[in-house]
Amino acid sequence: YKTTNLSFHTLLIFYFKGDVPYPADCTKYILCVNQISTGVWQCGAGQVFHETTCVPGNVDTCEPYNI
């Protein structure tokens, strides 16, 4: 899924802790703790961020493989 329609602020409101999608790039995610970003992280090669974790997927379409 694409996250381009979500703002960084919106993401932090909805997630109090844990990993959240990075807007505009499904191969990255933001680690948030108590609504504070601890940084932007990159999924491994050939992985996309899906729901709460990085999984194997198509980095061009942002679709995970066989979940």
Side-chain angles (χ1 to χ4, degrees):
Y1 58 95
K2 298 248 182 206
T3 59
T4 54
N5 61 337
L6 296 175
S7 72
F8 181 74
H9 178 70
T10 301
L11 291 172
L12 292 181
I13 288 172
F14 286 114
Y15 297 94
F16 295 104
K17 62 182 178 178
D19 300 339
V20 296
Y22 181 78
D25 189 339
C26 64
T27 66
K28 296 179 181 179
Y29 60 96
I30 304 165
L31 177 61
C32 297
V33 177
N34 295 324
Q35 292 183 300
I36 298 171
S37 169
T38 62
V40 176
W41 302 86
Q42 178 75 47
C43 292
Q47 294 187 328
V48 297
F49 188 81
H50 181 71
E51 295 182 10
T52 60
T53 192
C54 293
V55 297
N58 184 318
V59 298
D60 295 322
T61 65
C62 297
E63 293 296 321
Y65 295 136
N66 300 324
I67 291 185

